[in-house]
């Protein structure tokens, strides 16, 4: 949409938040799903060891084949959607039959009832907007693999729209049923796994285990796709000579047709985060990774609005038609509002500084490219360094 220099900035920020997200998803899978599933007591050290094992397995899968990644993701999504529908119906029936639950929960402020500044940034809308932003990261990861999809100009946008609609409708129904089923709001709020607590109290421990198993599969699938997506970002930038150690990172294995060095790099980043960072620092870094997508999405929309009249239209491709401009403007407003919500709390100061640090680090490398490899920033993507070997599968 612009030029290689602008594109480099988007690529660097996308790499930063996806690389962090891979480790964050694996850690959440370990601590919030696998450990409760097998009855292990919460322990940060144990969770980190399990996280490392998960990252290793995901790396092997991503290196082995893109088709395997696709199959895992499809299975995880299908299981998740099925479980959401079934659990929502079962919860609704149980609440209706037993009378244990309350429709008043839907309008209750719960433990924030007497918080004087609850509505300063929109109250519950604040959390809802952040949840939506986190969901979009998954769709963004799928879009980054568009070059490996069939008929991507139609299939990828339609898949994303269908996913948004399904997640919105089914997710809302699931959240409503969960909320109505709560009896002890303070107790559920204090729990580290509130959804599991609600399931256990209403449907018994066996159903809780089924839910945790499904969540584990869904998290594993999502993390695998994000890792694959991040490795493709690294490969694409390295292919054009715009990433550190690009001579190595652009290599594609002729047998698996996947970028093995780029995939291993994501594993190395995850291992470094798990081994080197203490708990508070890791949490701050993960929080910072939620700020970067808002910056990237907002900047993408601004760039699109600036150049949309100059863009070519592919015949038969997905097209919003006359709704294009209103949708883009609404998306920009929503993204800016989400960004304000993310950076406004005092607790967001350190994560915001981390984001600034990542931008500065990228800026230093960018300056190095300008001084020592300017040609890489003056050519179109895919031209410079495109003779590195076979394409990604």
């Amino acid at each position: 949409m612009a030029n290689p220099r602008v594109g480099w900035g988007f690529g660097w920020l996308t790499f930063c938040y996806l690389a962090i997200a891979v480790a964050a998803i694996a850690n959440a899978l370990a601590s919030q799903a696998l450990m409760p599933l097998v009855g292990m007591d919460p322990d940060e050290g144990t969770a980190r060891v399990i996280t490392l094992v998960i990252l290793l397995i995901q790396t092997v899968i991503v290196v082995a084949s893109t088709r395997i990644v696709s199959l895992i993701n499809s299975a995880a999504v299908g299981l998740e959607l099925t479980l959401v529908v079934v659990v929502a119906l079962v919860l609704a029936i149980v609440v209706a039959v037993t009378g244990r639950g309350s429709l008043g929960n839907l309008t209750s402020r719960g433990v924030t009832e007497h918080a004087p500044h609850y509505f300063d940034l929109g109250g519950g809308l604040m959390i809802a907007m952040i949840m939506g932003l986190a969901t979009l990261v998954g769709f963004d990861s799928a879009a980054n693999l568009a070059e490996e999809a069939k008929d991507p100009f139609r299939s990828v946008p339609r898949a994303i729209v269908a996913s948004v609609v399904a997640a919105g409708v089914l997710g809302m129904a699931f959240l409503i049923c969960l909320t109505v089923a709560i009896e002890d709001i303070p107790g559920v709020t204090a729990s580290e796994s509130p959804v599991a607590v609600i399931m256990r109290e209403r449907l018994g421990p066996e159903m809780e285990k089924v839910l945790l198993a499904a969540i584990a599969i869904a998290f594993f699938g999502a993390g695998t796709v994000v890792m694959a997506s991040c490795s493709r970002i690294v490969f694409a930038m390295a292919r054009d000579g715009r990433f550190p150690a690009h001579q190595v990172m652009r290599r594609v294995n002729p047998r698996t047709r996947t970028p093995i060095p780029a995939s291993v790099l994501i594993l190395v980043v995850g291992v470094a985060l798990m081994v080197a960072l203490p708990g508070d620092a890791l949490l701050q870094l993960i929080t910072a990774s939620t700020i970067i997508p808002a910056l990237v999405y907002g900047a993408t929309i601004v760039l699109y609005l600036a150049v949309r009249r100059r863009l070519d239209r592919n015949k038969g491709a997905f097209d919003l038609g006359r709704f294009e401009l209103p949708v883009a403007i609404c998306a920009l407003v929503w993204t800016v509002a989400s960004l304000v919500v993310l950076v406004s709390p005092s607790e967001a100061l350190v994560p915001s500084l981390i984001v600034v640090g990542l931008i500065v680090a990228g800026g230093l490398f960018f300056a190095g490219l300008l001084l020592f490899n300017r040609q890489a920033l003056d050519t179109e993507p895919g031209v410079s360094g495109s003779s590195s070997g076979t394409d990604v599968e």
Side-chain angles (χ1 to χ4, degrees):
M1 290 193 293
N3 59 63
R5 299 183 183 188
V6 174
W8 184 91
F10 282 88
W12 173 256
L13 289 177
T14 301
F15 160 72
C16 287
Y17 84 76
L18 288 181
I20 298 170
V22 170
I25 293 172
N27 188 247
L29 165 58
S31 61
Q32 300 299 313
L34 286 181
M35 292 177 66
L37 178 62
V38 299
M40 298 177 64
D41 294 329
D43 180 76
E44 183 179 340
T46 302
R48 292 193 180 214
V49 172
I50 297 175
T51 298
L52 295 177
V53 174
I54 294 171
L55 290 173
L56 179 60
I57 295 173
Q58 289 174 330
T59 303
V60 172
I61 293 173
V62 169
V63 165
S65 172
T66 302
R67 291 188 177 89
I68 296 177
V69 173
S70 177
L71 290 173
I72 291 175
N73 183 60
S74 297
V77 171
L79 176 63
E80 186 177 4
L81 292 177
T82 301
L83 188 71
V84 165
V85 173
V86 172
V87 171
L89 288 175
V90 172
L91 277 174
I93 293 172
V94 169
V95 171
V97 171
T98 63
R100 296 176 60 190
S102 174
L103 288 173
N105 290 345
L106 297 175
T107 56
S108 170
R109 284 175 50 187
V111 297
T112 67
E113 185 65 40
H114 302 293
H117 301 292
Y118 179 74
F119 290 105
D120 285 359
L121 286 173
L125 181 63
M126 178 171 59
I127 300 299
M129 292 176 70
I130 295 176
M131 286 178 65
L133 188 65
T135 303
L136 284 178
V137 172
F139 302 141
D140 172 65
S141 298
N144 285 334
L145 294 171
E147 290 184 0
E148 302 170 46
K150 294 181 179 179
D151 193 14
F153 289 102
R154 287 192 293 181
S155 62
V156 172
R158 290 176 179 175
I160 290 176
V161 171
S163 299
V164 171
V165 173
V169 174
L170 297 180
M172 178 63 72
F174 183 58
L175 289 174
I176 289 174
C177 292
L178 278 175
T179 304
V180 171
I182 298 175
E183 276 191 310
D184 180 13
I185 291 180
V188 170
T189 303
S191 170
E192 294 185 1
S193 303
V195 175
V197 170
I198 298 171
M199 296 290 293
R200 182 172 63 249
E201 291 179 349
R202 290 292 167 271
L203 305 178
E206 295 305 319
M207 193 62 189
E208 177 194 8
K209 290 186 178 298
V210 172
L211 175 69
L212 289 173
I215 291 175
I217 294 173
F219 267 57
F220 185 83
T224 304
V225 170
V226 173
M227 176 178 283
S229 177
C230 191
S231 70
R232 284 1 179 226
I233 291 289
V234 172
F235 163 76
M237 296 180 70
R239 173 197 60 199
D240 303 314
R242 301 171 189 158
F243 196 84
H246 61 88
Q247 295 91 343
V248 175
M249 294 301 159
R250 70 186 183 186
R251 293 176 184 172
V252 176
N253 185 277
R255 186 174 64 84
T256 64
R257 301 180 67 83
T258 54
I260 294 180
S263 303
V264 173
L265 173 65
I266 314 306
L267 170 64
V268 172
V269 172
V271 171
L273 295 180
M274 288 298 110
V275 173
L277 291 183
D280 290 342
L282 180 62
L283 180 60
Q284 299 284 11
L285 187 64
I286 292 174
T287 304
S289 72
T290 65
I291 297 174
I292 299 176
L295 290 173
V296 173
Y297 297 154
T300 301
I301 298 170
V302 170
L303 179 59
Y304 175 74
L305 290 172
V307 304
R308 67 186 185 93
R309 296 187 183 278
R310 304 199 305 266
L311 297 178
D312 294 331
R313 303 283 177 172
N314 289 348
K315 187 177 181 180
F318 180 87
D319 193 342
L320 287 172
R322 65 177 182 271
F323 294 104
E324 174 186 305
L325 186 58
V327 168
I329 293 175
C330 290
L332 181 58
V333 171
W334 175 78
T335 306
V336 171
S338 297
L339 185 59
V340 171
V341 166
L342 287 167
V343 302
S344 293
S346 58
E347 294 83 358
L349 176 60
V350 173
S352 298
L353 292 176
I354 292 175
V355 173
V356 173
L358 292 173
I359 293 175
V360 170
L364 292 175
F365 179 76
F366 183 82
L369 287 177
L370 287 176
L371 291 174
F372 305 108
N373 192 16
R374 181 181 291 269
Q375 182 183 1
L377 296 173
D378 291 336
T379 56
E380 290 298 322
V383 177
S384 176
S386 60
S387 60
S388 57
T390 182
D391 293 333
V392 178
E393 177 184 339

